Amino acid sequence: METVLFLAHTDDGKLAKAALEALTGAVGLNKTLGGALVVALYGAEIEAAANSIANCGAGRFLAVSGAEFAQPRYATDAAACEALIRASGATVVLAAGTSRNARVLAGVAQRLDGCIDTHVTAIETASGDPIITRWFYRQRIKGALARTRRPWITLLDPDAYAAWEGEAGSPPIEPIECSIPEALRRTTVRGIVTPPADQQTIRPDAQLLFVAGAGWTKKQKDGQAHVGEAETLILDFLKYSKASLGSSKSLVDLAGENQTALRFMSHLNQVGQTGASPRHPKGLSTCCHGEEPHTVGWRFVAERRAINLDPNCGWARGKADVLYVADAFEVMSKVNVLLGSK
């Protein structure tokens, strides 16, 4: 019989949305397996987080807490996760694919002589055994995997499941001993540097993903490039709409080819050929070349629209729900006027 463990770190004493999504996956898997569900939390404070998911159906609530676990530090996080998994006796571990979890759980799997799979989009059962689903080769191939090695740690991609919802309570919490010698505390977080809100272009929780293509930097109908105007139009739209900014590979590659590029664009904005999986409710592609590799990254966007002067581009052949055959400069200029007037 499998023992399913939901493993999560707390942020300011609470569970993030990605963690609650992973909990939904863990609860569903446990129901189909008919085993035991265990919750394991680590962080500076865990009581409020445990109370918020008290009625998830878990038989045990384990915790490693203390000031030394407040910082996202490999040495202490790995020690906490190892102690929790050992204490739980878990055979299958589900955790959110956050940067903090992704940084440590591969090492934890090695310590436990187990295995790990990342970027999991679903976990189900077949013949009584867990089977995960994930994408390969930059989202072109969908694969299903089953493993016999235990413990099996899986990192679920954000938005793979709906966030768990339920009534709060006061579950009995079992503190797990996790000794942290001074040698494991050498790394410290001195602070977090973030750009001003108006300069933030990557917003995973935004309702709209705005993707710019290489056409923004090409010669326009007057025979001239208007990169400065393009930057203004795009940044104004992001400011008004609070959308997240994406880019085609061809656009972010321009800077490395000594060509004029958008100054605020980097490979962190790239979707498509990197295998990035944007999951925004809506997407708008502008000045897109329409090639298949770019559209691959859009498969999880619920509603896809595009602006392109070419009615025969790749988007026009069924890859967008709506295609506007128009000049992106003119369209976005008008959109910004309308948004700015609200």
Side-chain angles (χ1 to χ4, degrees):
M1 179 180 295
E2 303 280 7
T3 298
V4 178
L5 176 67
F6 164 65
L7 177 65
H9 56 80
T10 59
D11 297 314
D12 296 326
K14 301 177 182 179
L15 291 176
K17 179 174 177 285
L20 294 175
E21 293 166 355
L23 177 58
T24 299
V27 171
L29 176 64
N30 184 63
K31 287 182 179 179
T32 57
L33 290 176
L37 176 63
V38 181
V39 168
L41 305 175
Y42 66 99
E45 299 178 0
I46 55 85
E47 186 174 357
N51 290 344
S52 68
I53 58 173
N55 291 295
C56 67
R60 300 172 65 193
F61 284 78
L62 313 181
V64 170
S65 60
E68 59 268 42
F69 302 104
Q71 297 180 351
R73 175 173 46 202
Y74 180 89
T76 50
D77 282 358
C81 292
E82 179 185 2
L84 288 167
I85 296 174
R86 289 189 186 278
S88 70
T91 55
V92 180
V93 181
L94 275 71
T98 63
S99 59
R100 185 168 181 176
N101 280 335
R103 186 182 303 120
V104 302
L105 286 181
V108 172
Q110 176 69 21
R111 297 182 186 187
L112 298 172
D113 195 28
C115 58
I116 184 171
D117 281 287
T118 61
H119 295 293
V120 176
T121 57
I123 182 164
E124 301 171 346
T125 59
S127 301
D129 296 318
I131 294 180
I132 66 165
T133 299
R134 61 159 297 168
W135 294 88
F136 295 92
Y137 189 52
R138 298 169 179 171
Q139 301 180 39
R140 289 172 172 83
I141 301 174
K142 184 179 181 180
L145 298 174
R147 296 188 185 275
T148 57
R149 194 169 182 175
R150 299 292 187 268
W152 184 13
I153 301 175
T154 61
L155 290 179
L156 293 169
D157 271 353
D159 287 330
Y161 291 92
W164 184 86
E165 294 181 354
E167 295 183 1
S170 299
I173 300 174
E174 303 176 36
I176 303 301
E177 181 67 27
C178 183
S179 178
I180 303 297
E182 189 62 33
L184 298 184
R185 307 182 193 183
R186 292 178 297 178
T187 302
T188 60
V189 178
R190 301 295 296 272
I192 299 176
V193 179
T194 59
D198 288 346
Q199 296 181 20
Q200 181 69 37
T201 63
I202 300 176
R203 303 182 177 108
D205 293 328
Q207 292 297 304
L208 175 66
L209 174 67
F210 178 87
V211 177
W216 284 103
T217 64
K218 305 301 182 183
K219 292 181 180 180
Q220 302 304 310
K221 56 187 177 182
D222 61 357
Q224 302 295 322
H226 299 275
V227 178
E229 181 183 353
E231 291 181 340
T232 301
L233 286 173
I234 293 173
L235 289 177
D236 284 349
F237 177 75
L238 296 178
K239 180 178 67 175
Y240 293 138
S241 65
K242 304 302 180 186
S244 186
L245 178 64
S247 171
S248 64
K249 184 177 187 297
S250 56
L251 179 56
V252 296
D253 281 348
L254 291 178
E257 298 170 358
N258 296 320
Q259 298 185 44
T260 304
L262 302 178
R263 291 173 293 178
F264 49 81
M265 195 73 76
S266 73
H267 282 85
L268 294 176
N269 297 99
Q270 183 178 329
V271 297
Q273 291 186 350
T274 55
S277 303
R279 297 173 185 270
H280 301 267
K282 297 182 179 181
L284 175 63
S285 177
T286 57
C287 289
C288 169
H289 48 66
E291 293 179 6
E292 174 65 21
H294 175 62
T295 65
V296 165
W298 283 62
R299 69 171 74 247
F300 301 113
V301 176
E303 179 182 317
R304 298 176 292 184
R305 301 192 176 208
I307 303 173
N308 197 308
L309 277 171
D310 180 9
N312 295 313
C313 79
W315 280 100
R317 296 192 292 272
K319 297 182 178 67
D321 299 300
V322 179
L323 175 70
Y324 302 100
V325 181
D327 183 278
F329 279 79
E330 296 177 0
V331 172
M332 297 313 300
S333 178
K334 181 63 175 179
V335 169
N336 285 342
V337 171
L338 295 174
L339 291 175
S341 63
K342 292 185 178 181

